[in-house]
Each structure stands twice: as structure tokens, then as C-alpha cells.
Amino acid sequence: MARYAMVIDTRRCVGCADCVVACKTENNVADGFCRDWIVQDVRGGYPDLQMEIRSERCNHCENAPCVRCCPTGASTIAVGGIVIVERDECTGCKACIASCPYDARFVHPEGFVDKCTFCIHRVKEGLNPACVSVCPTKCMFFGDLDDPDSEVSKLLKARPNHALFPEAGTKPKIYYLT
Ligand code: SF4
Ligand code: SF4
Ligand code: SF4
């Protein structure tokens, strides 16, 4: 069984938000909401400033509090560790939203909770997630952490990287190359 992850090169991301638009189109994301978003993280002080541009989304955590706290089992782990929401099982109680340290979930206007699915429908067909496939700077990579020959495994071995809020203990699976 695979252990899917995303690796994003912050040195090549230009913040164009093509990934955000592609996700909305591919997944018919509800008006006024996004499953992914761009963060401009500025650190330091003038004249020694650094900016990291990140395309962020659900981290498909290995130790996912949203799955543990869901009272109906709607939040669950699918093939390759992809965290999904079974919309028919979701009551919209928002427990998962409260438990997610990444603010990755929202209530769909139809009452269920929605978020990034790692485009599981595409992955099952052997395709990359929509956001990965459209990136004009080719800075996003998707693959299996358990396969030492996958591009994501090789990149994580070769380049310094970080994940978001590792201290939360959720074991996030989106990695940012620095
Ligand atoms: Fe960055 Fe690629 Fe998204 Fe553009 S499409 S914002 S370059 S991750
Ligand atoms: Fe759950 Fe949030 Fe982790 Fe996604 S990022 S798996 S919604 S805790
Ligand atoms: Fe959207 Fe799919 Fe990218 Fe997740 S993996 S942000 S659902 S396009």
C-alpha cells in the first residue's frame, strides 16, 4: 500500500495561484471556498528579509485528529493514506474543523464538510492531482513515500525541507523544499 505525499519547491513557486484555480475547476469547489490557497510567509527584518511562497492544503496527516474525532466515521482514511470525507455520512457537526491545526476544512453550502482529497479520483486513474499537473513552474510533486525511487522520496532525500506545525504531532504529508 502506498503512502501518498506532496512535495512543493518553494524556490520555484511564483504564487500565481494556478493550482487554486485548477482545484476549483477540477473539483467543482463551492463558490466562495477553496481547497488550496497561497501563503506568502515573510521572515526577518529589513534589509535581511526572506519570503517563502507556499501552496497549502490538507496535509493528509498520518496521525489525523480530524479522523479520530469524527463521531460518524465520515472522516476516514482511504487508499494510500488519503484523508477523505464521506459526504453522505457527514452531519456537519464541525468537530473535525475544530481539531485541524491547518484550517484545511470548511462547511460546504450543502451542509457537509469539504477539503482537499489529493484528487483521489485522478490518483486512482494513475494521474497526478489537478494542482500538481497544471503548475507552470513544475514546483509540485506527488508520489509514494514508501517507494524509495519515487520523485518525492528522492527530493526529500536530496533537499532541505520542512512540513507545517510538526509540533502538533499530526505527521503531515505535505513537504516544502527550502
Ligand atoms: Fe505556486 Fe505552482 Fe501554485 Fe503557481 S501553480 S502558485 S507556482 S504551486
Ligand atoms: Fe485532517 Fe487537517 Fe490533517 Fe487534513 S490537515 S488530515 S483536515 S488534521
Ligand atoms: Fe485540490 Fe486535488 Fe490539489 Fe487537493 S490535490 S488541492 S483536491 S487539486
Side-chain angles (χ1 to χ4, degrees):
M1 173 117 102
R3 195 159 57 97
Y4 291 124
M6 208 177 268
V7 172
I8 303 176
D9 189 345
T10 63
R11 290 183 177 260
R12 273 159 61 182
C13 176
V14 294
C16 67
D18 275 7
C19 48
V20 179
V21 175
C23 178
K24 283 195 74 90
T25 307
E26 172 75 22
N27 296 296
N28 197 20
V29 179
D31 279 352
F33 297 95
C34 289
R35 288 181 174 183
D36 56 350
W37 59 91
I38 305 297
V39 170
Q40 293 188 345
D41 190 0
V42 180
R43 297 175 206 148
Y46 180 83
D48 189 17
L49 284 167
Q50 282 188 327
M51 182 167 74
E52 182 174 277
I53 304 175
R54 290 193 301 266
S55 173
E56 296 188 5
R57 59 192 50 61
C58 168
N59 282 269
H60 296 273
C61 305
E62 284 188 76
N63 183 23
C66 55
V67 172
R68 278 202 310 278
C69 77
C70 176
T72 68
S75 280
T76 187
I77 297 175
V79 59
I82 298 177
V83 176
I84 59 165
V85 181
E86 300 280 9
R87 57 181 65 181
D88 292 343
E89 309 284 322
C90 177
T91 60
C93 74
K94 302 185 195 165
C96 57
I97 291 179
S99 78
C100 172
Y102 305 97
D103 208 12
R105 294 171 167 241
F106 60 89
V107 181
H108 189 281
E110 289 174 20
F112 58 86
V113 165
D114 196 22
K115 68 167 197 72
C116 164
T117 59
F118 261 178
C119 282
I120 190 168
H121 60 292
R122 290 175 59 93
V123 172
K124 281 179 174 172
E125 301 289 324
L127 300 170
N128 269 327
C131 51
V132 173
S133 69
V134 301
C135 177
T137 67
K138 305 269 184 286
C139 72
M140 305 174 74
F141 305 86
F142 180 84
D144 180 6
L145 287 178
D146 283 346
D147 175 1
D149 294 325
S150 69
E151 208 161 17
V152 290
S153 294
K154 286 182 186 165
L155 283 166
L156 291 177
K157 208 169 162 193
R159 296 266 306 270
N161 60 81
H162 70 101
L164 298 179
F165 306 129
E167 64 276 15
T170 60
K171 296 193 180 173
K173 295 208 300 295
I174 307 259
Y175 298 89
Y176 295 93
L177 302 177
T178 57

